[in-house]
Amino acid sequence: SVPFQGKRNQAAEARTPFTSTPACCGVLPFCVGCNSVEKKIYVNLNYTVPCVRLLNATHQIGCQSHLSGNVGVLHVLESEENLDWVLHSGLTPPYLVILDCSVILFCPLRSIMMKLKNGSSRVAGVAVVTPNANPSQGTSPHTSCPNENTGVYTENYDPTMARCNVTVWNPLGTGLSYEEFDFPIFAMKEDNDTQVIRQCYMDHNRAGNGSTPQYPLCAMQLYSHMSAVTDTATCMRRNNINFSLSPEMVCDPLSDFNVWASTRPLNNTAKGHKEGESVVLAAARLDSRSFFFDIAPGAESGVSGFVALLAAAHALRNATQEAPPPRNILYAFFHGETFDYIGSSRMVYDMEKNNFAVDLDNIHSVLEVGQVGLHAESRLWLHSDPVSRKNSSVNEEVKKLILRLQSAASGLNVSVEEPGFSQPLPPSSFQRFLRARPIPGVVIEDHRSAFTNSFYESMYDNAEYLNISYPPDLTPDEQLEYVTDTAKALTEVATVVARTLYIQAGGAESRLGSINADPQMVTRILYGFLVRSNNSWFQQLIPSDLVSHLTDRPTNFYVGVAQQPGKPTLLVQYLLANLTGSTVNVSQDDCWNQRVEEQDKESKHMYSYLWVQGAAPPNSTERVGFCMRSAARLSKALSPAFDLHEYTSKDYSTWTESRWKTIKGRIFLVASHELEMLTLGVGVGVLLTSLMLTYIMSSKADILFSSGREPANATY
């Protein structure tokens, strides 16, 4: 995400080598080629991603270091039993533990972390080596009942279904992401840095034959001091304390932007109820998270759903233009859903306050696409709310929607079924709409009851887990075009969604055969988000000033704290515009000014105009840009609690992220305590001796530095 002006420089500090100015350079203008003393002592780590501190209405979670960083002697953990050296028997505490799950059998991460937390007086920090391959056993650092306090199932709605009493959705959830640690925890790549660390440990710290390691020992220092403490109410109050002309903020609300579009343009200037407008809401979530803020690939938990919806929107473009159905279809991609439904609760709030293009009275029904990676089998499960279905009119509409989904799947290689027993909705954005009023709706998932996602909200929920792989020796452009089995499966899901939306909006069933998602489009989107966003196709669909945001690694879907749209938000917005909009022949200036020509004053109310850099013609390096006109827009995804200043709200998300100044790690050799004391003592002795000599020489200066004088009457 794009940081606040003057906020943290976390992304740059976390992913780039650390440099320092040589000690003499800058003092002596003639100093050329001099070496830094710091560089001779420290080896800085190039890639470090921390666990950061988050706060809500009641408490704080996450990790932090001391202001000057935490220093500890390195200890590579080789088994869970090996923890005894760190917690009890080691003679040189505190220790900084290197945790590599690829060498620890089963690697019970929560068990290890909680033991280290309980013995934190001997633990300076933890560095987790992220393996190049996923573990064989599933694990989720999220809770077993995600968003249990802010969904629709409360004591007032239906106490029997509250707090996952019927279905525990994430049985592998350990809750590790919601623990608080008073020492830093960093993630490191399996690369040259980790090899240097292991070699340093083997050379200096590894005890052999029961002996005690001898000094000097290899040590590590981790910096991740967090400014905010206690809870959101406390940190927001401190934000408002102004003791200087440039007050220092300590935390920021988690926020970004929702992306939305409609098949029939809506006047976005005239907010509130649209008379005669009936809207089918098609929803998916954008964000994800893991224990480490900058590693949130969200392949199954988020990407599978919004990619299927993007492909469905593309499949519907021609059908809705050639034979528009009576009802409008509103595509909504919600951000911040991981943290108590930030995006969806904001849209519902805006609809209630007449601050959105439509209101809740315009919503006919909801179809949400959740986790649809289809791991176990080619079967989708249709989840609905048993409480709202007690209303006969809602129940009838839900039955019709389910029948349309089943009809849309006929002839495809995917089946759709109801779970067959009464249970609440899984964690979904639709729950926030149900909190406002009973609305007919269905949530599509690939699980009947508990999640089939073994790595829910984990750094292992990645392309490998979705079985996205490519034949060897393919170039990046060839990988971009290669249709994987996962892309084929998601194409089937997207086709079901598209056909259902068309019929739900009142379209003719005779046109269903022509509504098909494009597997080539699906595989490109998956590659762009889960493998590398810096690819030739994405480059064509965005403006030139966004190209620098594209990277050669998977996209991070953590919501962040940006006042401007983050990278995932912008990519989805431009993708949605290109997949649902059309090219218009206007100048770049007119496109930027949201108009077809200079006298056009109305188009901007109905359409959004986006200039993209396009592709370069053959035998040319100059790209040919063009203007996309679509109904794709952004709306704020900031919890209403921060507009209302209700920082202890039980109805809305109150999550904030602490600010920080420095994120870095480095290793060095540390001398024994005795040698350090001896060095200090010698230094103090030299200082005192120097002072004494200076005093003596100063007091006897007239004798020591006097010169004989010749008589005034001396003659030669």
Side-chain angles (χ1 to χ4, degrees), residues 134-140 172 453-458 460-461 465:
N134 284 0
S136 57
Q137 287 193 328
T139 180
S140 168
L172 295 176
N453 186 352
S454 301
F455 299 113
Y456 182 74
E457 306 294 23
S458 161
Y460 305 121
D461 186 8
Y465 182 59

Side-chain angles (χ1 to χ4, degrees), residues 134 286-290 292-304 306 455 457-464 466 529-531 553-558:
N134 284 0
L286 275 182
D287 65 305
S288 183
R289 73 164 301 196
S290 77
F292 302 101
F293 89 102
D294 205 29
I295 312 176
E300 162 79 349
S301 59
V303 176
S304 65
F306 78 69
F455 299 113
E457 306 294 23
S458 161
M459 60 183 173
Y460 305 121
D461 186 8
N462 51 22
E464 179 188 342
L466 273 191
F529 283 116
L530 296 179
V531 181
R553 68 187 189 99
T555 303
N556 173 34
F557 287 97
Y558 172 69

Side-chain angles (χ1 to χ4, degrees), residues 378-446:
S378 297
R379 184 180 299 179
L380 296 173
W381 297 96
L382 310 179
H383 297 266
S384 57
D385 172 42
V387 179
S388 61
R389 290 186 69 175
K390 293 176 183 178
N391 181 308
S392 59
S393 61
V394 170
N395 187 46
E396 285 302 313
E397 283 298 332
V398 172
K399 285 182 178 179
K400 290 178 185 178
L401 181 52
I402 290 172
L403 289 174
R404 287 164 181 161
L405 281 158
Q406 292 171 339
S407 174
S410 62
L412 299 176
N413 295 321
V414 62
S415 63
V416 295
E417 299 179 30
E418 289 188 87
F421 54 90
S422 179
Q423 66 176 352
L425 284 169
S428 52
S429 305
F430 180 39
Q431 291 198 31
R432 293 300 304 193
F433 287 84
L434 287 174
R435 279 182 69 126
R437 63 178 59 187
I439 298 176
V442 167
V443 179
I444 305 174
E445 302 275 3
D446 64 4

Side-chain angles (χ1 to χ4, degrees), residues 612-632:
V612 300
Q613 64 175 1
N619 303 320
S620 174
T621 57
E622 190 72 23
R623 293 181 179 270
V624 180
F626 57 91
C627 185
M628 287 299 307
R629 183 174 72 178
S630 74

Side-chain angles (χ1 to χ4, degrees), residues 4 7 235-236 239 249-254 561 642 655-659:
F4 276 138
K7 188 190 178 297
C235 80
M236 293 301 289
N239 281 348
M249 309 288 281
V250 296
C251 70
D252 301 285
L254 295 185
V561 296
F642 296 98
W655 285 104
T656 53
E657 180 191 274
S658 173
R659 290 198 180 192

Side-chain angles (χ1 to χ4, degrees), residues 100 102 129-132 188-195 198:
D100 185 353
S102 64
V129 180
T130 58
N132 293 323
M188 298 189 305
K189 270 181 158 182
E190 179 65 73
D191 59 8
N192 290 338
D193 279 350
T194 55
Q195 295 303 319
R198 288 193 182 98

Side-chain angles (χ1 to χ4, degrees), residues 2-300:
V2 181
F4 276 138
Q5 180 71 26
K7 188 190 178 297
R8 47 188 191 167
N9 292 321
Q10 72 267 34
E13 289 175 336
R15 292 192 289 269
T16 58
F18 303 98
T19 59
S20 58
T21 304
C24 59
C25 298
V27 177
L28 302 178
F30 52 82
C31 175
V32 178
C34 52
N35 292 320
S36 166
V37 174
E38 182 181 5
K39 287 182 179 179
K40 292 179 179 293
I41 298 174
Y42 299 103
V43 175
N44 290 304
L45 305 178
N46 294 327
Y47 182 93
T48 51
V49 179
C51 150
V52 301
R53 172 169 289 170
L54 302 175
L55 309 96
N56 67 6
T58 58
H59 62 292
Q60 63 187 23
I61 62 173
C63 322
Q64 80 150 355
S65 74
H66 301 308
L67 185 60
S68 58
N70 282 30
V71 179
V73 173
L74 279 182
H75 181 77
V76 177
L77 196 65
E78 297 172 345
S79 67
E80 189 174 4
E81 291 72 26
N82 193 226
L83 278 172
D84 183 69
W85 176 268
V86 175
L87 301 177
H88 302 293
S89 58
L91 301 178
T92 55
Y95 290 97
L96 206 146
V97 178
I98 306 299
L99 179 57
D100 185 353
C101 279
S102 64
V103 300
I104 300 178
L105 187 63
F106 302 129
C107 195
L109 193 59
R110 178 181 172 84
S111 173
I112 292 173
M113 288 294 192
M114 296 310 292
K115 288 179 180 178
L116 292 173
K117 177 181 177 178
N118 294 333
S120 59
S121 62
R122 292 176 57 91
V123 179
V126 180
V128 179
V129 180
T130 58
N132 293 323
N134 284 0
S136 57
Q137 287 193 328
T139 180
S140 168
H142 207 72
T143 61
S144 59
C145 189
N147 289 353
E148 61 180 307
N149 296 316
T150 49
V152 70
Y153 299 104
T154 62
E155 302 298 328
N156 297 327
Y157 192 73
D158 190 332
T160 63
M161 294 186 176
R163 304 187 182 281
C164 294
N165 286 335
V166 177
T167 303
V168 177
W169 295 109
N170 187 31
L172 295 176
T174 64
L176 187 64
S177 290
Y178 291 84
E179 293 288 344
E180 180 190 1
F181 297 90
D182 59 1
F183 50 79
I185 303 176
F186 279 47
M188 298 189 305
K189 270 181 158 182
E190 179 65 73
D191 59 8
N192 290 338
D193 279 350
T194 55
Q195 295 303 319
V196 170
I197 291 170
R198 288 193 182 98
Q199 191 61 48
C200 187
Y201 170 77
M202 296 298 293
D203 292 344
H204 298 278
N205 296 15
R206 180 73 180 267
N209 300 322
S211 62
T212 302
Q214 300 298 310
Y215 285 97
L217 297 175
C218 191
M220 180 182 283
Q221 185 174 28
L222 297 179
Y223 290 88
S224 65
H225 180 69
M226 300 289 143
S227 301
V229 294
T230 310
D231 53 36
T232 290
T234 302
C235 80
M236 293 301 289
R237 184 179 70 249
R238 291 178 178 175
N239 281 348
N240 295 324
I241 298 175
N242 298 323
F243 287 126
S244 66
L245 295 176
S246 55
E248 185 170 331
M249 309 288 281
V250 296
C251 70
D252 301 285
L254 295 185
S255 63
D256 205 288
F257 287 80
N258 298 323
V259 184
W260 64 274
S262 54
T263 54
R264 190 165 56 244
L266 294 167
N267 189 327
N268 194 47
T269 305
K271 306 289 188 182
H273 185 70
K274 297 287 192 297
E275 195 64 40
E277 190 77 68
S278 181
V279 174
V280 177
L281 178 64
R285 56 176 276 197
L286 275 182
D287 65 305
S288 183
R289 73 164 301 196
S290 77
F291 186 75
F292 302 101
F293 89 102
D294 205 29
I295 312 176
E300 162 79 349

